[in-house]
Amino acid sequence: MSVSSGSHSRQGRARAPQRPSLRALHRAYDDVLGGTRSSRDLRSVVSASWGRSLRARVDPEGSAPPLVYDPDELREVRSGHPLAAVVPTLRRVLDAAVDASAQLLIVTDADGRILWREGAAPVRGAADRVLLTEGTQWREDTIGTNAMGTALATGRPVQIYAAEHLVRAYHTWTCAACPITDPDTGRLLGTVDVSGQQDSVHPAMVQLVSAASELAEKELRLRMMAADQRLRERRLPELRRLGGQPGALLSGSGRVVATHRRDDCPVALPDRVDTTGDGRVDLGGGVHGTLEPLTEGWLLRLPRPRARSSSNPSKSGRRPVSQAAAAPPSPRTLALRLLGPNAPAVRLGGRCVPVSLRHAEILALLALHPEGRTAEQLALGLYGEDGNPTTVRVEVHRLRAQLGQRVLLPRPYRLAAVPDCDLLWVRDRLAAGDVRAALAAYRGELLGRSEAPGVRTVRDEVAATLRTSVLELGDSELLWQLACRDLGREDAQVLEALVASLPRTSPRRASALERLRALLASDG
């Protein structure tokens, strides 16, 4: 089972920009557009945006945003848009700030079209006069530099002050926007924006919209993981009925969420499969799979493994995976313990290898991706979009010196063999529906001190999947075990389910009920 996430860390990128004086901004605007002054006097994000907008022939004196959707079309588009699920979250985070400072809360799609706009009547009226309304489009190439369009163009949170807007009609407005990314596909879904008159917006608003965006992405990720779990529960019997034939369950977008006999597949199965073809999937190396549509996703059938000859296995040029798995453990076996408060622990051939947290993060990402990771992919997983591949190459070089060059291979970076890894074991047990074994092996969260985006995503995925699986089974023993761990100790839903599953005379029920009451009282 694997989950791909496009969510990225914004740590260090959502700082409030230095706010220039209005007089200096207006003077720079007139001088730059009049050709008497260099655009170097502007912030670099603004200067680059002006360049893109002017090349798109946006008129600084007369452009207006086009109306793309009428009210009836808008209602239909909203109902089917992925961001509809997180608009309530955005309201909860931003409503107080919006109301207190007479702002608008705006949500656009990935093409800059305003789908939701909320705020007090006076600021809505002012916005109507400049066509800052639902159904209009605010890409840079239609209306010039603005926070929504520039956030979409750069993929980063941004605040645009007053005369930093290219179109003069918006010089009395200031806006802050942040992109929202689909954790499933990694594609931009749209932006969340706060806009208002220039004298009512605080420079720190860009940090607030960035935090709102991260919460929205986290909610989307949890919804994705819940959908994955439902798919596994409903369709695992069909996967198991493949018998000796390898196969996989895919989400609607083609992401692999569960596998059957993956080691018998003649090629490495990717994390995501292209489902846009005619039902036949090219997996590379001349190997093809077959897609069968399901209500919730896809069933992928993979070619059966070739018959194995015991007389002369060298003729095939490749040792069958099952034979390797049945063989005695190699003295160079790599064991990774990445879960729980004592993680990380690394053993190589029975020898303890001390590793830093950063090296443990690298090993976790490589264990999760047996096909390998490039330096750029590792940089994204370790540091987010600000990651430097050169830094990663240095760290991997040091790690290879510790483990040996035959354990950690280059081009792409990958482990020479599947490690004995507690994280992989728990994920495999969950994918197979063996919740009891998964809970017994789950000693705690993945690398709890790690802030690496790729690690945090998998940490949340495993914890949420395990929690949901236990809750949906409703087994009192498993609920008790969950309630005794950090994952469920202060979880009201877990405690409620435990109380409901136990007889009234059970001492465990009395304990759980007391803890639940204390938790609810502390939460007000």
Side-chain angles (χ1 to χ4, degrees), residues 9 14 17 28 34 39 62 101 120 143 149 189-190 199 288 291 308 313 338 368 390 395 399 426 432 451 459:
S9 173
S39 61
S101 53
I143 192 56
L189 294 176
D199 57 353
H288 293 82
L291 285 173
R308 295 162 184 157
L338 306 175
L368 290 163
T390 301
E395 292 291 349
L399 184 56
V426 169
E451 291 297 325
R459 178 195 300 156

Side-chain angles (χ1 to χ4, degrees), residues 1 18 21 37 44 66 69 73 108 170 176 189 197 209 233 310 343 353 379 440 476 481 483 500 516 523:
M1 176 182 66
Q18 184 69 33
S21 72
R37 190 173 177 182
S44 59
Y69 294 133
E73 291 174 316
T108 77
Y170 304 106
L189 294 176
Q197 297 292 299
V209 295
E233 290 169 355
S310 59
V353 180
S476 60
Q481 292 179 29
L516 178 61
D523 287 345

Side-chain angles (χ1 to χ4, degrees), residues 205-240:
M205 192 63 76
V206 69
Q207 297 169 311
L208 186 57
V209 295
S210 186
S213 171
E214 289 199 38
L215 286 174
E217 289 177 355
K218 183 174 183 179
E219 181 171 339
L220 290 170
R221 188 180 302 114
L222 291 174
R223 287 173 175 267
M224 177 188 76
M225 291 187 290
D228 289 349
Q229 182 62 19
R230 289 192 296 270
L231 173 61
R232 286 189 289 268
E233 290 169 355
R234 294 171 183 171
R235 300 296 182 173
L236 272 177
E238 296 175 47
L239 192 60
R240 292 174 183 145

Side-chain angles (χ1 to χ4, degrees), residues 306-377:
R306 294 178 181 177
R308 295 162 184 157
S309 170
S310 59
S311 59
N312 190 4
S314 63
K315 288 184 178 180
S316 66
R318 177 175 177 264
R319 186 182 185 190
V321 174
S322 62
Q323 291 182 9
S330 163
R332 301 296 288 171
T333 296
L334 179 65
L336 306 177
R337 296 298 174 259
L338 306 175
L339 301 176
N342 296 324
V346 177
R347 298 185 71 84
L348 183 60
R351 173 177 62 88
C352 181
V353 180
V355 295
S356 66
L357 177 60
R358 180 63 74 205
H359 286 175
E361 292 166 342
I362 292 172
L363 288 170
L365 294 176
L366 294 179
L368 290 163
H369 297 279
E371 73 281 5
R373 298 275 90 178
T374 65
E376 290 74 15
Q377 289 171 321

Side-chain angles (χ1 to χ4, degrees), residues 401-412:
Q402 275 189 286
L403 299 179
Q405 297 187 1
R406 289 190 292 177
V407 175
L408 204 169
L409 307 176
R411 296 186 299 273

